[in-house]
Amino acid sequence: MEYTIKNAYCKRVWDEISVRYADQGHFLQAAGLVLETISPVVDKMPELEKNAVLERFVEPERIIMFRVPWTDDQGKPHVNRGFRVQFNSAIGPYKGGLRFSPEVGLDVLKFLGFEQVLKNSLTTLPMGGGKGGSDFDAHGKSDAEVMRFCQSFVTELYRHIGPDTDVPAGDKGVGGREVAYMFGQYKRITNQYVGVLTGKGLSFGGSLARTEATGYGLIYFVECMLAKIGQDFKGKTAIISGDGNVAQYAAEKLIQLGGKPLTLSDSTGYILDEEGITAEKLAYVKEFRANHEKVDAYVKKFPKAKFFKGEKPWGVKADLALPCATQDEIYLEDAQKLVANGIKLVAEGANMPTRAEAIEYFQKNGVIFAPGKAANAGGVAVSGLEMSQNSERLSWSFEEVDAKLKQIMTNIHDNAYETAKKYATEGDYVAGANIAGFVKVANAMVAQGLV
Ligand code: GLU
């Protein structure tokens, strides 16, 4: 993908990293799109080049890599790779999830960490950005194996994290079970009961509404986008990809607000329910997912729905598309299908599910597009609220957290919208989110000197 990077300083930094990290395609895509869209504001901030802000902005402050040895239930040893990318701490302690998935390596974690810096900045909460994880694949592993893996992972990671240093959480492959095992091991090693991880269980420092936060937040964000064009969810159909935490709670909130989710997916294919996925059907999705069953379990229970093996849902006709699975879900040809079918709005529940060419195609064809760093920031925002509750040793009610989440998503929307109007094109949420997220971090980096 060619980026049109107009500012000379942005272009120079882009040229440097595109050679240095030629093998890190995901990181380069994330950075390229940011350097392209922040160009107009970098033009107006000569202090950035004087202070080498961009050279620093694209380099993680620190990358920790380690081995994770563990034994399976037969006593056989295994060794995985563990990582923590501490990307930027200009505006707060590093914050961001841990991903346990075979694709995890420096490329994926650097893209996620880089995006997290801007996302966390947009939340308005004091959080820097980081990301970590391992190439461990929990599929087919017993509970005891997952526990031993998590304990081994934290036995190294614990020395690099802390409630005022770096606060990891979940991401793909890391949910409440894994966070709990890691929290237990951290506490055992350090003898400290502190909010070092978020997404914890409710009886040991977790926040109400954290589980729902990313999906609900996505729908609150889309509600603001629709309001800008004088519309709401009533009667609108949506293609949702994924069937995990983000997809489930996005569907739940969408149904509550009068919309109709038609699809869900996983790595095996997608299900289409023309009658619409209802709250009752969604309860069954939560059940089969908890039992680690694949998405075709849906059609076994609700035979009027159809399962499309090995396919993605982007050929389905609908008003909205909400990619909520993982990166690289929507390529140019998928975007073309969606546009041909009259899609009006695409908002990312996952991190970078849309390839840069597809984003460009949406924008050129009048589709309103919201990037994940703005639209899916609800998860980490409520993680930030969990940190506040842990610090004050209190817990807030579901309604209180949900109201704060809604307010934060509205603020992110308005900030991205107004910033785009001021520096780029009205309605360009990619530019708006990148510029708004960046300026705050950049100003803090200038103020703190060459560190
Ligand atoms: N993994 C989530 C994200 O991509 C949440 C991170 C967190 O809560 O720290 O934003």
Side-chain angles (χ1 to χ4, degrees):
M1 170 84 187
E2 282 293 313
Y3 299 97
T4 319
I5 302 180
K6 293 205 180 114
N7 174 274
Y9 177 35
C10 291
K11 177 80 170 71
R12 173 168 65 76
V13 171
W14 167 251
D15 288 342
E16 285 166 13
I17 59 169
S18 51
V19 174
R20 189 178 311 135
Y21 300 119
D23 58 338
Q24 296 179 355
H26 291 95
F27 169 63
L28 287 180
Q29 173 171 267
L33 211 48
V34 168
L35 290 168
E36 178 180 86
T37 48
I38 63 173
S39 273
V41 77
V42 175
D43 282 344
K44 296 190 170 59
M45 298 173 78
E47 68 276 23
L48 299 184
E49 189 162 13
K50 273 192 213 117
N51 291 282
V53 168
L54 288 181
E55 290 87 335
R56 292 186 285 139
F57 190 69
V58 296
E59 289 296 338
E61 289 176 18
R62 188 178 301 104
I63 297 181
I64 299 140
M65 292 173 61
F66 51 97
R67 66 175 184 236
V68 190
W70 57 282
T71 48
D72 65 22
D73 290 342
Q74 283 68 48
K76 185 168 176 265
H78 297 265
V79 181
N80 283 89
R81 279 129 298 280
F83 304 85
R84 186 71 181 165
V85 178
Q86 297 182 329
F87 219 110
N88 193 303
S89 62
I91 62 167
Y94 310 107
K95 180 83 195 87
L98 296 169
R99 176 176 289 195
F100 291 170
S101 179
E103 93 263 17
V104 163
L106 280 185
D107 174 30
V108 166
L109 292 181
K110 275 182 63 187
F111 118 63
L112 289 165
F114 182 80
E115 291 285 286
Q116 199 81 45
V117 174
L118 295 159
K119 182 192 313 198
N120 294 2
S121 167
L122 287 168
T123 65
T124 68
L125 302 174
M127 300 183 289
K131 204 88 186 191
S134 171
D135 56 359
F136 176 75
D137 187 357
H139 290 112
K141 306 284 189 301
S142 73
D143 197 50
E145 287 171 335
V146 170
M147 182 182 76
R148 285 197 295 278
F149 175 82
C150 290
Q151 290 179 340
S152 179
F153 184 81
V154 164
T155 301
E156 172 57 36
L157 187 69
Y158 90 93
R159 71 189 84 241
H160 308 289
I161 61 176
D164 296 316
T165 306
D166 183 354
V167 184
D171 194 79
K172 200 167 117 189
V174 178
R177 172 179 70 165
E178 291 75 16
V179 168
Y181 287 147
M182 290 192 271
F183 180 75
Q185 182 74 349
Y186 181 89
K187 182 165 64 66
R188 184 186 189 195
I189 296 173
T190 62
N191 198 24
Q192 282 184 3
Y193 206 109
V194 290
V196 65
L197 288 146
T198 59
K200 299 184 290 297
L202 293 177
S203 60
F204 51 97
S207 174
L208 284 160
R210 174 64 188 88
T211 313
E212 293 83 354
T214 314
Y216 278 20
L218 173 68
I219 299 301
Y220 295 147
F221 192 93
V222 176
E223 196 178 21
C224 296
M225 294 170 80
L226 288 171
K228 275 280 171 212
I229 53 167
Q231 297 191 22
D232 61 27
F233 282 114
K234 299 226 171 60
K236 290 222 167 34
T237 51
I239 312 169
I240 300 182
S241 67
D243 69 346
N245 177 267
V246 182
Q248 286 171 23
Y249 290 99
E252 184 169 292
K253 186 52 76 179
L254 179 70
I255 297 164
Q256 285 171 15
L257 297 181
K260 190 167 153 185
L262 298 178
T263 65
L264 290 170
S265 72
D266 68 11
S267 56
T268 65
Y270 79 92
I271 62 100
L272 169 64
D273 188 335
E274 308 261 18
E275 290 177 353
I277 299 166
T278 58
E280 295 71 37
K281 291 172 179 173
L282 208 51
Y284 180 65
V285 174
K286 288 179 193 166
E287 201 181 303
F288 77 67
R289 273 282 315 204
N291 296 331
H292 306 289
E293 281 176 68
K294 292 293 174 190
V295 77
D296 62 337
Y298 189 96
V299 294
K300 289 180 195 146
K301 177 94 171 176
F302 309 111
K304 280 193 196 153
K306 293 187 206 98
F307 175 59
F308 296 86
K309 194 173 170 198
E311 285 184 45
K312 297 192 281 183
W314 313 123
V316 173
K317 202 169 159 42
D319 301 307
L320 319 168
L322 307 173
C324 295
T326 188
Q327 69 272 5
D328 304 335
E329 294 185 67
I330 301 182
Y331 284 79
L332 181 59
E333 55 273 26
D334 303 311
Q336 285 163 342
K337 261 190 245 167
L338 286 160
V339 168
N341 274 337
I343 204 85
K344 300 281 174 315
L345 183 155
V346 179
E348 296 183 326
N351 290 314
M352 221 166 71
T354 317
R355 302 286 305 174
E357 317 78 71
I359 298 177
E360 192 180 20
Y361 190 79
F362 285 141
Q363 290 179 329
K364 283 198 174 136
N365 286 279
V367 176
I368 333 173
F369 175 84
K373 64 172 75 74
N376 76 30
V380 75
V382 172
S383 277
L385 302 179
E386 182 172 329
M387 289 165 73
S388 302
Q389 293 169 77
N390 292 165
S391 298
E392 61 174 16
R393 296 189 196 284
L394 287 174
S395 54
W396 306 338
S397 69
F398 186 95
E399 290 68 28
E400 210 174 338
V401 179
D402 190 37
K404 284 188 170 42
L405 168 66
K406 189 162 186 185
Q407 190 57 55
I408 289 170
M409 296 316 295
T410 306
N411 291 346
I412 297 174
H413 172 274
D414 294 353
N415 190 7
Y417 190 89
E418 293 305 325
T419 306
K421 199 164 146 187
K422 189 164 166 202
Y423 291 104
T425 314
E426 186 166 1
D428 182 347
Y429 288 96
V430 176
N434 286 343
I435 294 171
F438 171 73
V439 168
K440 183 173 156 191
V441 177
N443 283 334
M445 288 174 75
V446 171
Q448 291 170 23
L450 195 63
V451 291

